[in-house]
């Protein structure tokens, strides 16, 4: 490994996220292009770098830097170069020259030891002298901190976050309790903190480690949909992760409760439920706000028999005027929505939810009330708009998402909405569709923005898969039986002609379905060989289904229960990419993971990114709208790959264009095939489901029902008849530990 010593002439490129950059280094009178991680480096600085010479195919000879450290400028020329480079705010080339003329080679010593003397230079006040000295000192502190943290394998990006959080106090934190990093610094979880602690020499049975491990276990359970964990299960999971005994772990649970890090609630049966503080108060706040909304429509608003009779008459006139015909249950639903501050409408496909919503909207519109419509995802909002003729937004957009993270960056959502209890939504009625997808944190944010006196109408199918995030809000609300609720069950004639609808209901009831291919929209192809399934899948997508459902090949969606295995999304996407978007000379490709992205690929955002900027451009390339926030489940097409700028442009369904740096591509993945979980809230002209074998936990009724109901015109199942029948018979869903229903009961009892 070679060593170079010189000064940074120019920073050509630097990625602010990971610190990767390209610089011009002047060493020994010659200029050389260097590449490496240069997060905390400014033009004009002197460095000593270790690395190797490489030959780049385009840019020629370069020096690949493995590690470097800043060295003090060795002479007055180097000092002047550094001070005048812009590294020190408020010091330009002219002022730098005057400083060096006054102090010469002693300049740096004067700045560090006698900063007041800088005021001897024309143009520098005592205040400015202090500011210059402080900047030099801070830069020195940051560099030393980063060098210190690097020895524990901490990246430059995280090092900077740690320094910003603790300043010079980071040394004590690292020495005494590195697990505090997991609590305070975004991007550092228990695993990283634990790795640091082991390098420092902290014992595996330290109280700090056990406490942090318990909190980590609770937070991780949120990704499985749990809001709390029973104490026994928490101990079991923490024991496995920490590799300690339950006797060592258990005493720290009450200690965490005393420190207000967790909440312990005991059930009537004596079971202890352990919540993270954030999760507990999310449920409690939701229960409290629901009560306030409910109370705003008290007894005074309950209709008399005479009023109800007049209302029913008015509804019949509206039905005739809008050419709608409601059945008894639908009419009851409309009346309940009018009479109550909170109303829940549930039902499976074909049961007339859309017709009912439309009548509710028409009634309130006739009354001159303002109505807002929203859904959890862009696709669901688009469907709602098409079904009602009224604009529907995503819940995030309705609440006016601010891309900046909230004050509590470590909170579960970590986002800030402009609409909240201090700035509520200005409307009379809010209708939320696809409520089964709404988790407890998004529900909390929504309720904060709903002022008492505003009607909240929630629509969904409780038999769909629950939200990706923690909670099962719709199910808990319905099971509480506290709020007005109507479950539609009648399948209407037109819908009843669809075997998709009929079979969906039969699946939900645990009844066998016909797999005889006599249907016009529900097909089953018995295939027991994976390669044969691949062949038929490609044939269906490229030749058979586009004409049959009048849709493009990218509109046809492959849904599978699994991520791994021969019929998991990872394998299927590689195969489908090859056939649906084959390589071509004009299609640029960029490597990613063990595969690559290609122009024209169908991709999906796989995590919520509230700070990612998007814009909508006209056909002339002019931006006509913009905003922040791209969400888990958004699907789009790769429109451009810029190899020079190292960016990828994705256009999502609603024409939002997002530019990703190549370092941010972990947020997207190919979407020719997606999991059934990821399809929630979406609808496709045709769905193909390969079902052969898989874990029993994933092959259940709920999953099959959700997959089937995603199809608008056609469902094709490829695979095993036995597997389909086993899924219908298997009603075991993974239990979710949630307490919203209990919190609602508590609030109602205490008020």
């Amino acid at each position: 490994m070679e060593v170079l010593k010189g000064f940074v002439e120019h920073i050509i490129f630097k990625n602010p996220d990971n610190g990767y950059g390209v610089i011009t280094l002047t060493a020994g009178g010659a200029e050389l292009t260097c590449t490496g991680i240069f997060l905390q480096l400014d033009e004009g600085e002197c460095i000593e770098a270790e690395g190797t010479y490489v030959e780049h195919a385009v840019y020629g000879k370069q020096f690949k830097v493995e590690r470097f450290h800043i060295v003090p400028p060795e002479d007055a020329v180097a000092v002047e170069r550094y001070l005048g480079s812009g590294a020190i705010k408020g010091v330009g080339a002219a002022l730098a020259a005057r400083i060096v003329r006054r102090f010469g080679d002693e300049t740096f010593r004067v700045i560090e030891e006698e900063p007041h003397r800088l005021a001897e230079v024309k143009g520098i006040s005592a205040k400015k002298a202090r500011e210059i000295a402080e900047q030099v000192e801070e830069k020195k502190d940051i560099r030393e901190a980063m060098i210190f943290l690097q020895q524990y394998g901490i990246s430059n990006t995280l090092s900077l976050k740690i320094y910003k959080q603790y300043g010079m106090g980071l040394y004590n934190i690292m020495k005494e309790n590195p697990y505090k990093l997991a609590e305070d610094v975004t991007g550092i979880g228990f695993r990283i903190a634990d790795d640091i602690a082991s390098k420092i020499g902290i014992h595996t049975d330290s109280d700090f480690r056990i406490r942090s491990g318990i909190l980590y276990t609770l937070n991780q359970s949120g990704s499985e949909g749990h809001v709390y964990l029973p104490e026994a299960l928490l101990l079991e999971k923490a024991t496995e992760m920490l590799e300690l005994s339950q006797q060592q772990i258990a005493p720290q649970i009450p200690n965490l409760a005393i420190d207000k890090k967790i909440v312990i609630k005991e059930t009537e049966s004596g079971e202890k439920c352990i919540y993270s503080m954030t999760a507990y108060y999310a449920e409690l706040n939701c229960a409290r706000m629901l009560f306030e909304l409910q109370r705003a429509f008290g007894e005074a608003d309950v209709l008399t028999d005479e009023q109800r009779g007049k209302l029913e008459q008015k509804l019949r006139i509206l039905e005739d005027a809008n050419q709608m015909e409601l059945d008894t249950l639908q009419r009851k639903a409309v009346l309940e929505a009018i009479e109550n501050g909170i109303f829940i409408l549930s039902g499976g496909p074909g049961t007339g939810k859309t017709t009912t919503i439309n009548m509710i909207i028409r009634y309130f519109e006739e009354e001159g009330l303002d109505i807002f419509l929203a859904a959890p995802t862009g696709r669901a909002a688009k469907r709602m708009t098409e079904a009602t003729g009224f604009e529907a937004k995503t819940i995030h957009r309705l609440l006016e998402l601010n891309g900046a993270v909230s004050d509590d960056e470590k909170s579960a959502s970590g986002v800030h909405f402009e609409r909240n209890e201090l700035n509520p939504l200005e409307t009379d009625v809010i209708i939320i569709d696809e409520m089964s997808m709404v988790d407890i944190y998004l529900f909390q944010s929504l309720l904060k923005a709903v002022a008492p006196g505003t009607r909240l109408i929630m629509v969904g199918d409780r038999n769909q898969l629950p939200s990706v995030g923690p909670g099962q809000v719709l199910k808990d609300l319905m099971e509480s039986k506290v709020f007005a609720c109507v479950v539609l069950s009648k399948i209407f004639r037109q819908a009843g002609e669809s075997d998709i609808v009929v079979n969906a209901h039969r699946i939900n009831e645990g009844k066998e379905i016909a797999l005889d291919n006599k249907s016009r929209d529900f097909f089953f192809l018995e295939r027991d060989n994976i390669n044969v399934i691949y062949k038929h899948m490609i044939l269906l997508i490229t030749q058979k289904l586009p004409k049959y459902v009048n849709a493009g090949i990218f509109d046809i969606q492959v849904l599978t229960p699994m991520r791994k295995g021969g019929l998991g999304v990872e394998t299927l996407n590689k195969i489908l990419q090859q056939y649906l978007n084959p390589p071509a000379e004009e299609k640029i490709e960029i490597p990613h993971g063990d595969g690559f992205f290609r122009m024209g690929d169908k991709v999906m955002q796989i995590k919520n990114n509230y700070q990612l900027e998007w814009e909508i451009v006209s056909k002339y390339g002019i931006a006509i709208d913009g905003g922040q926030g791209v969400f888990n489940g958004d699907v789009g097409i790769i429109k451009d790959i810029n190899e020079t700028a190292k960016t990828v442009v994705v256009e999502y369904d609603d024409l939002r264009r997002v530019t990703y740096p190549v370092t941010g591509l972990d947020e997207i993945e190919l979407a020719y095939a997606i999991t059934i979980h990821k399809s929630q809230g979406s609808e496709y002209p045709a769905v193909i489901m390969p079902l052969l074998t898989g874990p029993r936990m994933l092959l259940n009724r709920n999953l099959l029902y959700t997959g089937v109901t995603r199809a608008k015109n056609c469902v094709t199942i490829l695979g095993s008849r036995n597997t389909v029948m086993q899924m219908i018979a298997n009603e075991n869903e993974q239990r979710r530990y949630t307490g919203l229903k209990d919190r609602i009961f508590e609030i109602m009892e205490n008020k």
Side-chain angles (χ1 to χ4, degrees), residues 501-538:
V501 173
V502 171
N503 285 337
H505 284 274
R506 290 188 69 82
I507 291 165
N508 193 38
E509 292 161 10
K511 298 175 181 175
E512 285 194 10
I513 58 175
L515 300 174
D516 54 12
N517 289 332
K518 292 178 180 177
S519 169
R520 288 180 300 173
D521 61 4
F522 197 104
F523 304 105
F524 173 74
L525 302 177
E526 180 97 47
R527 302 290 184 270
D528 59 3
N529 183 288
I530 282 184
N531 289 320
V532 174
I533 290 174
Y534 296 155
K535 179 184 170 185
H536 281 277
M537 193 185 301
I538 291 158

Side-chain angles (χ1 to χ4, degrees), residues 80-98:
E80 184 178 336
R81 190 187 297 121
Y82 172 64
L83 290 175
S85 67
I88 306 298
K89 196 175 173 184
V91 179
L95 187 55
R98 290 204 298 275

Side-chain angles (χ1 to χ4, degrees), residues 612-627:
L612 203 54
E613 293 185 355
W614 55 263
E615 62 179 17
I616 296 173
V617 298
S618 68
K619 62 180 180 180
Y620 304 107
I622 300 165
I624 55 176
D625 194 9

